[in-house]
């Protein structure tokens, strides 16, 4: 028998969770019938939800013994949720997907067909367009992928998603990357392996709301750049050298002007301009340095990536004790 673990990070998903469970079990039941060697487990990660997500997960665990869950002590973010899921999944294959049905479970049979013979280690969907997204957002996203792929050795595929069907081997490779600052689009790509991309049109959420604001996404893209590229550090050195060259040229011009043509230079305005420009440049470069330092600082602390407060095991044991 082969076990497939379906990992689902959930943050305030009370509206879609029941729908998701119905959909996914429909698909997995059909798959179990088509491929008798397949067994499934569903591992939900409750990422510190403030709504009834945890209660719903408990109810699902009561109803279906394939349902497992890990509930965090607070909101740690989706990256931590995925890490916890991969770490605790027991399957020979692991699927990562969102709870909001934007990653349609109907793709699973096709994904499995690519992975099962060992030709591919991972099957994933790739958005072919950005329908249903604002123009501004699409533009920023495009710029991000352009810059990112120019400055990083790790290829970040535009439109690639966290909807993945992976072999145990690939999952173990991902778990070996136990870094604290997790940027999974980069991590999935960094580990390599044969990846099959399945083109797909974006689907809207049937209920609930996205937890990503524009600002949140912007900060996330900066995280990504810093996690997978040191180019900004090189840029700051380059700016330093450039401003040295400019000032050197300016000095020569000023000296020639004064000596050869006897022109006097307006001291005050030029000085102020130069001071502003150079001090701005210096702060900018120190800032970049500081960003990398702060990331290093957090990594050296070796803080846990998530803290579990409750699991299905704990819940089931408690219930047994009571009865
Ligand atoms: N999510 C999470 N922790 C968070 C934010 C989101 O586990 O802090 C989950 C969320 O429940 C969903 C998935 O990550 O299953 C994707 O989130 P969302 O739909 O808000 O993002 P989008 O699809 O808009 O990128
Ligand atoms: Mg979503």
């Amino acid at each position: 028998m082969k076990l497939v673990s379906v990992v689902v990070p959930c943050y305030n998903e009370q509206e879609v969770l029941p729908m998701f469970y119905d959909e996914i079990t429909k698909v997995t039941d059909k798959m179990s019938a088509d491929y008798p060697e397949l067994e499934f487990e569903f591992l939900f990660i409750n990422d510190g939800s403030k709504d009834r997500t945890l209660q719903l997960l408990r109810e699902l665990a009561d109803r279906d013994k394939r349902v497992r869950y890990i509930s965090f002590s607070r909101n740690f973010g989706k990256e931590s949720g995925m890490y916890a899921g991969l770490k605790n999944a027991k399957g020979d294959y692991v699927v990562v997907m969102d709870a909001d049905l934007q990653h349609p479970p109907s793709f699973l049979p096709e994904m499995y067909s690519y992975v099962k013979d060992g030709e591919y280690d991972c099957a994933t969907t790739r958005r072919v367009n950005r329908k249903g997204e604002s123009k501004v957002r699409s533009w920023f996203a495009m710029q991000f992928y352009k810059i990112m792929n120019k400055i990083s050795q790790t290829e970040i595929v535009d439109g690639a998603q966290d909807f993945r069907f992976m072999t145990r081997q690939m999952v173990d490779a991902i778990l070996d990357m136990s870094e604290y600052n997790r940027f999974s689009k980069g991590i999935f790509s960094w580990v390599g392996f044969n990846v099959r991309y399945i083109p797909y049109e974006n689907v809207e959420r049937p209920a609930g709301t996205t937890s990503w604001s524009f600002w949140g996404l912007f900060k996330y893209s900066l995280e990504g750049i810093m996690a997978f590229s040191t180019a900004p550090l090189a840029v700051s050195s380059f700016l330093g050298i450039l401003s040295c060259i400019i000032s050197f040229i300016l000095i020569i011009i000023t000296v020639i002007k004064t000596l050869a043509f006897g022109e006097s230079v307006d001291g005050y305005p030029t000085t102020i301009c130069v001071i502003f420009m150079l001090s701005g440049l210096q702060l900018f470069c120190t800032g970049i340095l500081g960003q990398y330092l702060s990331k290093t600082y957090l990594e050296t602390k070796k803080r846990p990536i998530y803290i579990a407060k409750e699991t299905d095991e704990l819940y089931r044991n408690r219930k047994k004790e009571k009865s």
Side-chain angles (χ1 to χ4, degrees):
M1 291 300 269
K2 297 243 182 250
L3 180 67
V4 181
S5 306
V6 180
V7 168
V8 191
C10 309
Y11 178 57
N12 295 343
E13 298 288 10
Q14 62 176 17
E15 267 109 45
V16 281
L17 209 53
M19 267 190 262
F20 174 80
Y21 176 77
D22 289 346
E23 286 288 316
I24 188 85
T25 45
K26 240 187 259 162
V27 172
T28 55
D29 289 349
K30 175 135 195 319
M31 279 176 85
S32 302
D34 292 346
Y35 305 98
E37 77 271 19
L38 287 187
E39 275 180 317
F40 289 88
E41 68 167 3
F42 307 106
L43 178 52
F44 293 92
I45 314 296
N46 173 34
D47 187 10
S49 298
K50 292 181 183 67
D51 63 357
R52 292 187 58 250
T53 301
L54 180 58
Q55 275 102 303
L56 290 175
L57 290 178
R58 286 184 189 136
E59 282 164 26
L60 286 180
D62 284 337
R63 235 165 65 193
D64 185 343
K65 63 178 191 324
R66 296 171 301 173
V67 170
R68 295 171 57 206
Y69 68 83
I70 298 169
S71 183
F72 289 177
S73 58
R74 63 170 169 82
N75 180 251
F76 279 85
K78 187 186 173 189
E79 296 287 346
S80 304
M82 285 199 289
Y83 179 78
L86 294 180
K87 200 164 163 92
N88 291 282
K90 295 177 182 150
D92 304 291
Y93 297 103
V94 180
V95 178
V96 182
M97 64 197 299
D98 288 0
D100 58 11
L101 291 171
Q102 282 186 304
H103 297 163
S106 53
F107 274 102
L108 292 184
E110 189 185 348
M111 288 176 152
Y112 179 61
S113 73
Y114 293 127
V115 178
K116 74 176 195 305
D117 301 322
E119 194 190 347
Y120 292 99
D121 307 281
C122 171
T124 181
T125 52
R126 179 177 183 180
R127 279 168 70 162
V128 285
N129 58 27
R130 295 188 163 267
K131 246 204 315 226
E133 203 182 56
S134 78
K135 285 238 163 65
V136 184
R137 203 177 246 213
S138 303
W139 187 84
F140 272 98
M142 251 173 56
Q143 296 311 310
F144 167 72
Y145 285 107
K146 243 199 220 152
I147 296 175
M148 190 71 199
N149 284 318
K150 243 186 216 138
I151 64 178
S152 170
Q153 261 92 47
T154 310
E155 197 200 354
I156 312 288
V157 180
D158 186 5
Q161 294 175 312
D162 299 335
F163 182 15
R164 279 161 194 268
F165 201 121
M166 291 176 281
T167 59
R168 170 52 49 189
Q169 208 188 6
M170 180 158 170
V171 172
D172 286 342
I174 290 170
L175 286 173
D176 275 342
M177 298 178 77
S178 56
E179 58 214 70
Y180 181 77
N181 296 292
R182 300 188 76 75
F183 182 70
S184 58
K185 278 187 202 312
I187 290 176
F188 283 135
S189 159
W190 193 90
V191 294
F193 293 98
N194 287 341
V195 180
R196 169 82 194 211
Y197 291 99
I198 305 169
Y200 133 106
E201 290 238 354
N202 195 33
V203 203
E204 304 263 325
R205 243 175 194 277
T209 48
T210 172
S211 32
W212 284 105
S213 61
F214 181 78
W215 182 235
L217 273 177
F218 184 71
K219 279 203 304 208
Y220 183 63
S221 65
L222 290 185
E223 297 272 326
I225 289 176
M226 275 190 295
F228 281 89
S229 165
T230 47
L233 287 173
V235 169
S236 66
S237 316
F238 172 75
L239 286 179
I241 293 171
L242 192 72
S243 65
C244 280
I245 294 174
I246 292 175
S247 69
F248 187 68
I249 294 172
L250 281 179
I251 289 171
I252 291 181
I253 291 177
T254 317
V255 169
I256 291 176
K257 260 180 160 179
T258 321
L259 288 186
F261 306 106
E263 260 180 47
S264 72
V265 191
D266 281 342
Y268 187 70
T270 35
T271 312
I272 292 294
C273 289
V274 169
I275 285 177
F276 261 92
M277 199 191 89
L278 289 185
S279 55
L281 205 66
Q282 277 172 0
L283 281 179
F284 177 70
C285 296
T286 323
I288 292 178
L289 208 67
Q291 287 294 327
Y292 280 93
L293 189 66
S294 76
K295 296 287 165 203
T296 319
Y297 174 61
L298 283 176
E299 291 290 349
T300 52
K301 284 191 178 197
K302 294 229 180 306
R303 283 182 183 164
I305 295 170
Y306 67 93
I307 294 170
K309 177 162 178 261
E310 183 183 318
T311 60
D312 60 297
E313 218 180 324
L314 208 76
Y315 170 68
R316 285 186 166 116
N317 287 343
R318 257 188 224 150
K319 234 177 61 173
K320 243 186 252 157
E321 276 165 25
K322 263 190 212 152
S323 57

